Amino acid sequence: MIELAPTHKYGLSLPTPVMPAAGVFGYGDVYRDLLEEGVLGALVTNPISLRPRNVAQGQRILTRGEQVLLHTGLPNAGAKAILRQYGKYWERSPVPVIPHLVATTPAETSKAAVLLSAARGVGGIELGLAENVSEDKAVELLHAAQDSGLPLIVQVPFSRVDALAPRLVEAGADALTLTAPPRAVLPLPDAPEDKAESGTRLMRGRLYGPAVFPLLLNVLARFAAPGANQLHVPIIACGGVASPADALTCISLGAAAVQVDVLVWRTPGVLREIAAAFKAL
Amino acid sequence: MIELAPTHKYGLSLPTPVMPAAGVFGYGDVYRDLLEEGVLGALVTNPISLRPRNVAQGQRILTRGEQVLLHTGLPNAGAKAILRQYGKYWERSPVPVIPHLVATTPAETSKAAVLLSAARGVGGIELGLAENVSEDKAVELLHAAQDSGLPLIVQVPFSRVDALAPRLVEAGADALTLTAPPRAVLPLPDAPEDKAESGTRLMRGRLYGPAVFPLLLNVLARFAAPGANQLHVPIIACGGVASPADALTCISLGAAAVQVDVLVWRTPGVLREIAAAFKAL
Amino acid sequence: MKQQTATFRFALPSPPHWAVRLDVAQPPRAGQYVLAECGGPLREALFPADVDADGFTALTPRGHPITRLLPGASVDLLGPLGNGFRLDRVQRLLLIAEADKLSVLRPLLNAAPAVTLVVEGPTRARMPAPDSLPPAVELLLVTLDGSVGYLGPLESQEPAPAGQERIGPLLAELIAWTEWLCLACRRERYPALAGLVRQARLQPTAHFAQALVHTEMPCGVGACDVCRIPTRHGEKHVCTDGPVFDLLEIGNE
Amino acid sequence: MKQQTATFRFALPSPPHWAVRLDVAQPPRAGQYVLAECGGPLREALFPADVDADGFTALTPRGHPITRLLPGASVDLLGPLGNGFRLDRVQRLLLIAEADKLSVLRPLLNAAPAVTLVVEGPTRARMPAPDSLPPAVELLLVTLDGSVGYLGPLESQEPAPAGQERIGPLLAELIAWTEWLCLACRRERYPALAGLVRQARLQPTAHFAQALVHTEMPCGVGACDVCRIPTRHGEKHVCTDGPVFDLLEIGNE
Ligand SMILES: Cc1cc2nc3c(=O)[nH]c(=O)nc-3n(C[C@H](O)[C@H](O)[C@H](O)COP(=O)(O)OP(=O)(O)OC[C@H]3O[C@@H](n4cnc5c(N)ncnc54)[C@H](O)[C@@H]3O)c2cc1C
Ligand SMILES: Cc1cc2nc3c(=O)[nH]c(=O)nc-3n(C[C@H](O)[C@H](O)[C@H](O)COP(=O)(O)OP(=O)(O)OC[C@H]3O[C@@H](n4cnc5c(N)ncnc54)[C@H](O)[C@@H]3O)c2cc1C
Ligand SMILES: Cc1cc2nc3c(=O)[nH]c(=O)nc-3n(C[C@H](O)[C@H](O)[C@H](O)COP(=O)(O)O)c2cc1C
Ligand SMILES: Cc1cc2nc3c(=O)[nH]c(=O)nc-3n(C[C@H](O)[C@H](O)[C@H](O)COP(=O)(O)O)c2cc1C
Ligand code: FES
Ligand code: FES
C-alpha cells in the first residue's frame, strides 16, 4: 500500500502506485473492456469544474514527430452532472477515485470540492492550477479546495514548480503532482486555402510525449530525490512516463507514485505492465 | 541586414539572420569543407572561459528517441589560447564573430570579455549564464561582460526567462538569446556489470532535439511576438529549429534571428537551407 | 469495443489514395472505424471503404504511416469503434459526399437496388473515376468551378450563370425520393444540408439522414475529449456517440 | 573530409554482429570512420572491418539503425574522417584487441606477412570464430575466466593458479618482436598496456604502438567537444586527432 496523505486524518492509500493523469482516462468506465479491475492504484478523472465547460474552438490536437500538443479547453458537464452520471460507478470503484478539480475562482472551487467529496468512493481531490496563477491565488484556491475535508493533491504547472511547490506544501497540500504538462506552441499545418493569408497560424496547448520525461526527471531530481526533497510530502510523477522502467526510475528519484498520460490512448496496457512491475518488486 | 544591437554605438549587423548555437560549431573553421562562406549571418563560437576548462567526466551524451542529452562540462582551452589559435581566422571572417563567453565570476568574465573584444572580427559577445544564477548575480555578470565595450547578447536559461529576461534588458543587454537548452535528466543504460548495484545511475545535462521547438515557440509567443514583446531588444531564437519553415515561424513570432543547435552535426546543410529561405523572402 | 490483431496485406496506389488491406476477425462496418497502432505517438483512425468477412480495405492518404508496413505485418487495432450507418431493408438510397470524403461511403454503394451518389468537389480532376463505382450506381457530379456536372456548392440558392445548372431542384427531388440519406462532408456543411432536408421532407423519421463527422480521434473510447462536438442535445463524442450522427441532431446546434 | 552518398547493399547476421556493406567512392581506411545518417537525431559512426576499392563492410551491433535500410538505399555519409592506422612496409605486425572491439582491427589482418593477433575476452564463447580469420594469422586467446587460452587480463602481473598460464612473458616477447603494434581496447586499459610497451621496448619509435579510442562522436569534425580526452599534450579530439593515437601519448595522462 502507498500512502499519499500520511498526515491527513483520513489518509489516501493506494494498492499500487500507478494511475492515469488527469484528462486521459475519462471519468472511470471507458476502459473497462481493455483494462481489468485492480490494475490501477487510483482513478484520476478528467478535469471537472463547478460549471459546465465547452470544448475549445479550433485545432485541439497536433502531433509533430513524437510530440503531441493538446488544447481541449477542459470541457466537462460540470460537477453536478458528472456526479449524477458517474457517482454510482465511483461508489463501486475498488480503488480511490480522485476527481481532478479545475481551479477557477475560490468560491467555485470550494463548492465543487464539497460536492465531489460527498460522493462515496472519492478518496481525495487533485487540484489543477492555471499556468500563470499567482502564488497567493494558488494558496487561496488550495484553501478553497480543502473545504472538501478530503486529502488534497495539487498538480503544479511545469514552469512554476520553483515558485509554487514550497508555498503549496506550506499551505497544507497533502501531496503534489509534478508536473502538469509544459505549455507549448506549434504552427498549424497550412490549409491550402490559407496560403495567401499573411502570418503563421499557431496552436497553443500542453505538450505531451516522450521528450517530457527527461524534463520531469530533472524536476524530480531537484524536488523529490532522496536527500533533495525539501517538500516533505509525497510526490506523484507525471509527464511522459512510457514504460515500467520509466516508472521505476521515477520511484528511485523519490516519487511515491506515477501518472501515465497520453500514452494510455495508444497503449492502454502500459498501465497493466507498470502495475505488474510494481507488484514484482 | 539584420541589426542585433540597434542602440549600441557600434551596432551588430548581420547579412542574414541565421547562426549556429553556442557549442555546436567549434570556433569557426571546422565546417569549412561542408559549408561555403557567406552562408552564416554570424559565427557564434563554442563556450569560452577565461581559464581552461576540462571536459566533463562520465557520460557526455545520451539519446532517447528524438532527444539528445548533452553534458560536456563546457571544455575549452581558455580565452588566451583560443585567441592565439583562432584570432587570425576570426580576423578574416566575412561575418561577425560572436564568442560565447562562459560567465563564471564577474572578475574573470570582465577579463575574458576584454581579451576577446581586442580580436579583430569579433562583433559582439554572447554571455552564457548558469541555470541557477541569482538575478543580482546575473546583472553583475552582465556588467562585467560589458567591460568589453562590444554589443552584448545574453543567452537566458530556459527555466529562468521570466525572472531574468526583463532584468537583463533593464541592465543594458543589447539582445537576448531565448533560450539556453532546458536542463534534463535521464537514466543511463545499465552497464551489464552494474545490474547488481542499487539505484539508477543518472545523467544530467542539457536537452536538445525537436521537442524543444514547441517549448521555444511558447517562450517567443510570450516574450517576442509582435504585441507581446515587452523586452524591446532583438530576440535570437534558439532551441530545436529544424528547417527553414521552423526558422520562418520564429521570425513570424518576433525573433530577429535564429540559432540552430545539434541538428548542425547531423545535417550541416540545414544552415544553408535556412539562409537561402531568408534570402528568398 | 476491444483490441484485436490484424494482418497487413498490402498498400497499393489507388489515386488519389492508397488502398490498404487488413485481414481481421471483426472488421468495422460502414461508418465505423478502428484505431491502428502505426508507430507514431497516437493511433491512426481507419474507416473501411470495402468490407468482407475476412477484413477490410481502407483508403488512406499517400504517405500514411500504415502504408510503410511490410506485407504480413501484425497491426494492433482497437475496435471496431463507434456507431456506423444503419440502413434497414432499403430499396432507394441517396449518398452525398465531398470528393475527398467519398471513401467512407463506398461500402454503401451496393447497399440498395437503387443507389444515387452525389459527389461535390472543387474541380473535374478531383472527381472519382467512374470505373471505381458499381455500374448500377447513378452518379451525379457537382463542381465548384463548373468544370463538370452541376455548378456547386450543393446548397447554393443563387441562380447559375448562363450555360450552367444548379443541382438544388434535383437534390430536393432525390431527398424526397430516397428512403435513407447518408452524407460525408465537412462538419461545417451539415447545418446547411440539414436545411435542404427540412425543406424537402416535412417529417423526416429519426436517422433518415445520417452524417459521418470527421475529427481527430486520439482515444476512440470517450476518454480524451478531443473529439467533442456540439449537438442539439449538448456536446457529444464523435468517437463513441458517432462518427455517424442524425444529421438533424448535429445540423442545428 | 567531405560528404558523400553511399549505397547500402545488405546487412547480414555475422554473430555476434551484423555485417553491413556500403558501396562508396571513398571508403574509410583501417581505423578511420564515416558518420552515417540513419534517421536518428545524430549520425552513427561506422568503422570498416573490411575495405576494398568499391566500399567497405562494417560490423554493427544487432538492431543498429543502419541494418533497417532496404538494399539499394542511399546513405548520406560524412567522411572518411579521422586518422587511421599508419603502417609502413611492415613485415611483422602485432594486434591486440578486446573481443568486442576486434572488428576495427580486421582490415589489418592481411597487412603484413606475419601477423599475430591477441584477443582478450570474458570467456570462451565470446572469442572470434577461427574461420573468420585468415589462416596465416597466429591467434592467441586470453580469457578472464581461463575457459580457453591464457588467463587474463592481459596486463596481470599476478601468478596464475595451477594449470593456467598468463600471457605476460609471451606478450613482452611479441612486443619486442613486432615492428608495429595496433590496439583496440577500452580507453581505461591503455595506461597499463602502455606500461607493458615501455617495459618491453626501451625506445619505441613514435607511433610504434597505435591505439584506437572508442567514444561517442556526434559531429566528427571537432565541433561538439563530446569526444575530448586527456592526453600528454592536453585534451584532444578523438574524432579529428584520433581515433587512432600513439599509445604512449594517451597511455600516460
Ligand atoms: C486570454 C484568454 C482567453 C481565453 N479564452 C477562452 C475561450 O474563449 N474559451 C475557452 O474555452 N477557454 C478560453 N481560455 C482558456 C484557455 O484558452 C483554455 O480554454 C484553457 O486554459 C484550457 O485549455 P487547454 O486545454 O490548453 O488547457 P490548459 O490551458 O493547458 O489547462 C490549464 C491547466 O489545467 C490543468 N490541467 C490539469 N489537468 C488537465 C487536463 N486533464 N487537461 C487540461 N488541463 C489540465 C493544467 O495544470 C494546465 O496548466 C482563455 C484563456 C486566456 C488566457
Ligand atoms: C555541485 C556541482 C559540482 C560540479 N562539479 C564539477 C566538476 O567537478 N567538474 C566540472 O567540469 N564541472 C562541475 N560542475 C559544473 C557542471 O557540472 C558542469 O560542468 C557545467 O555546468 C557544464 O556542464 P554542461 O555541459 O551540462 O553544461 P551546463 O551546466 O548545462 O551549462 C551551463 C550553462 O552554460 C550555458 N551554455 C551556453 N552555451 C553552452 C554550450 N555551448 N554548451 C554548454 N552550455 C552552454 C547554458 O546557458 C547552460 O545553462 C559542477 C556543478 C555543480 C552544481
Ligand atoms: C483549469 C483552468 C481553466 C481555465 N479556463 C479558463 C477560461 O475558461 N477562460 C479563461 O479566460 N481562462 C481560463 N483559464 C486560464 C486562467 O484562468 C487565465 O489565465 C486567467 O485569466 C488568469 O487570471 P486569474 O489569475 O485572475 O485567474 C483557465 C485555467 C485553468 C487552470
Ligand atoms: C558556463 C558555466 C560553467 C560552470 N562551471 C562550473 C564549474 O566548473 N564548477 C561548478 O561547480 N559549477 C559550475 N557551474 C555551475 C554554477 O557555477 C554553479 O551552480 C555555482 O555553484 C552557482 O553558484 P554561484 O551563483 O555562486 O556562481 C557553471 C555554470 C555555468 C553557466
Ligand atoms: S477520441 Fe477521445 S474522446 Fe473521442
Ligand atoms: S565528435 Fe564532435 S568534437 Fe569530436
Side-chain angles (χ1 to χ4, degrees):
Chain A
M1 290 300 244
I2 288 84
E3 178 53 57
L4 289 184
T7 63
H8 189 279
K9 62 185 170 184
Y10 302 150
L12 176 54
S13 66
L14 274 48
T16 181
V18 58
M19 61 193 97
V24 306
F25 209 75
Y27 302 95
D29 59 345
V30 295
Y31 278 103
R32 62 186 174 275
D33 295 345
L34 289 168
L35 284 173
E36 52 288 0
E37 276 196 355
V39 158
L40 300 180
L43 171 57
V44 179
T45 71
N46 273 17
I48 302 175
S49 48
L50 181 67
R51 288 190 276 183
R53 286 176 63 98
N54 286 335
V55 73
Q57 299 295 311
Q59 188 99 7
R60 295 168 203 163
I61 192 163
L62 194 61
T63 59
R64 177 164 148 141
E66 301 174 344
Q67 277 68 250
V68 178
L69 190 65
L70 206 63
H71 168 65
T72 58
L74 317 179
N76 73 93
K80 270 193 201 143
I82 289 167
L83 277 171
R84 264 199 308 276
Q85 197 177 346
Y86 298 97
K88 284 266 178 253
Y89 181 85
W90 292 355
E91 212 169 287
R92 292 191 313 265
S93 168
V95 295
V97 175
I98 303 179
H100 178 90
L101 177 57
V102 169
T104 49
T105 65
E108 288 189 353
T109 301
S110 167
K111 259 195 213 163
V114 169
L115 266 173
L116 292 166
S117 68
R120 297 257 307 270
V122 171
I125 286 180
E126 184 182 70
L127 187 68
L129 297 171
E131 190 83 11
N132 60 351
V133 69
S134 72
E135 292 156 49
D136 290 340
K137 176 86 181 281
V139 170
E140 215 185 322
L141 291 164
L142 168 99
H143 287 314
Q146 280 176 327
D147 291 345
S148 73
L150 290 180
L152 187 66
I153 304 164
V154 187
Q155 188 182 31
V156 186
F158 174 78
S159 72
R160 303 295 304 290
V161 179
D162 280 81
L164 292 178
R167 281 292 303 276
L168 291 166
V169 169
E170 196 191 323
D174 293 293
L176 298 181
T177 301
L178 299 183
T179 70
R183 303 291 309 170
V185 171
L186 276 174
L188 287 170
D190 279 332
E193 314 58 280
D194 299 340
K195 286 273 188 210
E197 267 181 48
S198 68
T200 315
R201 294 182 321 132
L202 299 171
M203 175 182 163
R204 282 148 211 261
R206 305 165 248 132
L207 189 70
Y208 293 85
V212 178
F213 186 65
L215 300 173
L216 165 65
L217 290 188
N218 185 51
V219 171
L220 294 180
R222 295 183 54 222
F223 290 95
N229 187 346
Q230 311 296 325
L231 297 173
H232 304 299
V233 296
I235 303 296
I236 304 168
C238 178
V241 172
S243 66
D246 286 357
L248 293 172
T249 299
C250 291
I251 302 293
S252 81
L253 272 169
V258 297
Q259 294 183 350
V260 184
D261 56 41
V262 299
L263 181 66
V264 168
W265 304 334
R266 194 188 70 184
T267 316
V270 74
L271 289 167
R272 183 191 300 117
E273 287 170 32
I274 293 175
F278 282 128
K279 291 229 167 73
L281 279 189
Chain B
M1 291 299 246
I2 288 85
E3 178 54 57
L4 289 185
T7 64
H8 190 277
K9 59 185 168 183
Y10 302 152
L12 175 54
S13 67
L14 274 48
T16 179
V18 58
M19 61 193 98
V24 306
F25 210 74
Y27 302 97
D29 60 345
V30 297
Y31 278 102
R32 61 185 174 277
D33 294 346
L34 288 169
L35 283 173
E36 52 290 359
E37 277 195 355
V39 158
L40 299 181
L43 170 57
V44 180
T45 72
N46 273 17
I48 302 174
S49 47
L50 181 67
R51 289 191 276 183
R53 289 176 61 99
N54 286 335
V55 72
Q57 301 294 309
Q59 187 98 10
R60 297 170 202 158
I61 192 163
L62 194 61
T63 58
R64 176 164 147 141
E66 300 174 346
Q67 277 68 249
V68 178
L69 190 66
L70 206 63
H71 169 66
T72 58
L74 317 180
N76 73 94
K80 269 190 204 146
I82 288 168
L83 277 172
R84 263 198 310 276
Q85 198 178 345
Y86 297 97
K88 284 267 179 253
Y89 181 84
W90 293 354
E91 212 167 287
R92 291 192 313 265
S93 168
V95 296
V97 176
I98 303 178
H100 179 91
L101 176 57
V102 170
T104 50
T105 65
E108 289 189 352
T109 301
S110 166
K111 258 194 216 166
V114 170
L115 267 172
L116 293 167
S117 67
R120 296 255 308 270
V122 170
I125 287 183
E126 185 184 69
L127 187 69
L129 297 171
E131 189 85 11
N132 60 352
V133 68
S134 73
E135 292 156 49
D136 291 340
K137 177 88 179 281
V139 169
E140 218 184 320
L141 291 164
L142 167 99
H143 288 314
Q146 281 175 327
D147 291 347
S148 73
L150 291 181
L152 188 65
I153 303 164
V154 188
Q155 188 183 32
V156 186
F158 174 78
S159 72
R160 302 296 303 290
V161 179
D162 280 82
L164 292 178
R167 281 292 303 274
L168 291 165
V169 169
E170 196 191 323
D174 294 293
L176 298 181
T177 301
L178 299 183
T179 71
R183 303 291 310 169
V185 171
L186 276 173
L188 287 170
D190 280 332
E193 316 55 282
D194 299 339
K195 285 273 189 213
E197 265 181 50
S198 68
T200 314
R201 294 183 319 132
L202 298 172
M203 175 182 163
R204 281 149 211 263
R206 304 165 250 133
L207 190 69
Y208 293 85
V212 178
F213 186 65
L215 299 173
L216 164 65
L217 290 189
N218 185 51
V219 171
L220 294 180
R222 293 184 55 221
F223 289 95
N229 187 348
Q230 312 297 325
L231 297 173
H232 303 300
V233 296
I235 302 297
I236 303 168
C238 178
V241 172
S243 66
D246 286 357
L248 293 172
T249 299
C250 292
I251 302 294
S252 80
L253 272 168
V258 297
Q259 294 184 349
V260 184
D261 56 41
V262 301
L263 181 66
V264 168
W265 305 335
R266 194 188 73 183
T267 315
V270 75
L271 290 167
R272 184 190 301 119
E273 286 169 32
I274 292 174
F278 282 128
K279 290 228 170 72
L281 276 189
Chain C
M1 189 270 306
K2 58 174 211 186
Q3 201 153 3
Q4 1 178 19
T5 302
T7 305
F8 173 80
R9 287 294 168 211
F10 59 77
L12 292 175
S14 173
H17 298 285
W18 278 60
V20 171
R21 170 72 194 188
L22 292 174
D23 286 357
V24 67
Q26 266 196 62
R29 288 180 297 103
Q32 288 189 308
Y33 63 101
V34 294
L35 288 178
E37 221 277 78
C38 306
L42 301 173
R43 287 175 181 260
E44 303 283 339
L46 297 175
F47 286 83
D50 190 29
V51 191
D52 57 48
D54 298 328
F56 68 100
T57 304
L59 295 172
T60 71
R62 201 165 154 262
H64 189 283
I66 201 162
T67 62
R68 288 179 221 134
L69 295 181
L70 293 178
S74 291
V75 185
D76 183 58
L77 299 186
L78 294 186
L81 296 170
N83 296 311
F85 294 102
R86 279 147 296 175
L87 306 175
D88 294 338
R89 284 147 300 144
V90 54
Q91 297 293 324
R92 300 183 302 279
L93 177 59
L94 176 62
L95 307 176
I96 300 179
E98 291 172 3
D100 63 351
K101 301 206 158 25
L102 171 61
S103 58
V104 296
L105 297 186
R106 284 188 177 269
L108 304 176
L109 291 172
N110 292 312
V115 174
T116 298
L117 169 63
V118 178
V119 183
E120 184 211 78
T123 187
R124 175 182 202 130
R126 306 279 277 279
M127 291 292 127
D131 64 357
S132 74
L133 304 169
V137 168
E138 186 189 350
L139 176 63
L140 297 170
L141 301 181
V142 182
T143 53
L144 297 182
D145 64 358
S147 53
V148 69
Y150 296 90
L151 177 67
L154 287 170
E155 58 274 53
S156 173
Q157 309 279 355
E158 287 177 38
Q164 300 203 306
E165 200 184 344
R166 300 281 183 192
I167 198 172
L170 175 56
L171 201 55
E173 272 177 47
L174 286 167
I175 293 171
W177 160 82
T178 190
E179 288 166 309
W180 301 98
L181 166 59
C182 298
L183 303 98
C185 300
R186 274 164 299 141
R187 186 158 64 88
E188 308 89 87
R189 306 287 299 276
Y190 289 142
L193 294 168
L196 294 188
V197 170
R198 276 198 210 86
Q199 280 169 12
R201 288 180 84 115
L202 281 187
Q203 296 259 330
T205 53
H207 297 287
F208 161 71
Q210 303 179 19
L212 190 141
V213 173
H214 273 269
T215 62
E216 261 118 357
M217 296 187 291
C219 79
V221 298
C224 73
D225 287 329
V226 167
C227 71
R228 278 165 80 123
I229 58 164
T231 75
R232 284 178 86 165
H233 303 101
E235 287 189 353
K236 300 254 174 181
H237 288 122
V238 172
C239 63
T240 50
D241 299 315
V244 176
F245 290 90
D246 186 336
L247 176 68
L248 301 184
E249 197 193 351
I250 54 167
N252 191 5
E253 296 157 10
Chain D
M1 185 272 307
K2 58 173 212 184
Q3 201 154 1
Q4 359 177 20
T5 302
T7 305
F8 172 80
R9 287 293 170 212
F10 58 77
L12 293 173
S14 173
H17 298 286
W18 278 58
V20 172
R21 169 72 191 188
L22 292 175
D23 287 356
V24 67
Q26 267 195 62
R29 288 180 298 104
Q32 288 189 307
Y33 63 101
V34 294
L35 288 178
E37 221 278 78
C38 306
L42 301 173
R43 286 174 181 261
E44 304 283 338
L46 297 175
F47 286 83
D50 191 29
V51 191
D52 57 47
D54 299 328
F56 68 101
T57 304
L59 295 172
T60 70
R62 202 168 151 259
H64 188 285
I66 201 163
T67 62
R68 287 179 222 135
L69 295 181
L70 293 178
S74 291
V75 185
D76 182 58
L77 300 186
L78 294 187
L81 296 170
N83 295 311
F85 294 102
R86 277 147 298 176
L87 305 176
D88 293 339
R89 286 147 299 144
V90 55
Q91 296 293 321
R92 300 184 301 279
L93 178 60
L94 176 61
L95 308 176
I96 300 179
E98 292 173 0
D100 63 349
K101 302 206 158 23
L102 171 59
S103 57
V104 296
L105 297 186
R106 284 189 178 268
L108 303 176
L109 290 171
N110 293 313
V115 174
T116 299
L117 169 64
V118 179
V119 182
E120 184 210 79
T123 187
R124 173 182 206 133
R126 305 278 279 277
M127 290 292 128
D131 65 358
S132 75
L133 303 168
V137 169
E138 185 187 350
L139 177 63
L140 297 169
L141 301 181
V142 182
T143 52
L144 298 182
D145 63 358
S147 53
V148 69
Y150 297 90
L151 179 65
L154 287 169
E155 59 274 56
S156 173
Q157 308 280 355
E158 287 178 37
Q164 301 205 303
E165 200 185 342
R166 298 282 183 191
I167 198 172
L170 174 56
L171 201 54
E173 273 177 46
L174 287 167
I175 294 171
W177 159 84
T178 189
E179 287 167 309
W180 301 99
L181 167 60
C182 298
L183 303 98
C185 301
R186 273 164 299 143
R187 186 159 64 89
E188 310 88 86
R189 305 287 300 276
Y190 289 141
L193 294 167
L196 295 187
V197 170
R198 277 199 208 84
Q199 280 170 14
R201 288 181 84 118
L202 282 188
Q203 296 260 331
T205 53
H207 297 287
F208 160 71
Q210 302 180 17
L212 189 142
V213 173
H214 274 268
T215 62
E216 261 121 359
M217 296 187 292
C219 79
V221 297
C224 73
D225 287 329
V226 167
C227 71
R228 277 164 81 123
I229 58 163
T231 76
R232 285 177 85 168
H233 302 101
E235 288 188 352
K236 300 253 176 182
H237 288 121
V238 173
C239 62
T240 51
D241 299 315
V244 176
F245 289 90
D246 186 336
L247 176 68
L248 302 184
E249 199 195 349
I250 55 167
N252 191 5
E253 296 158 11

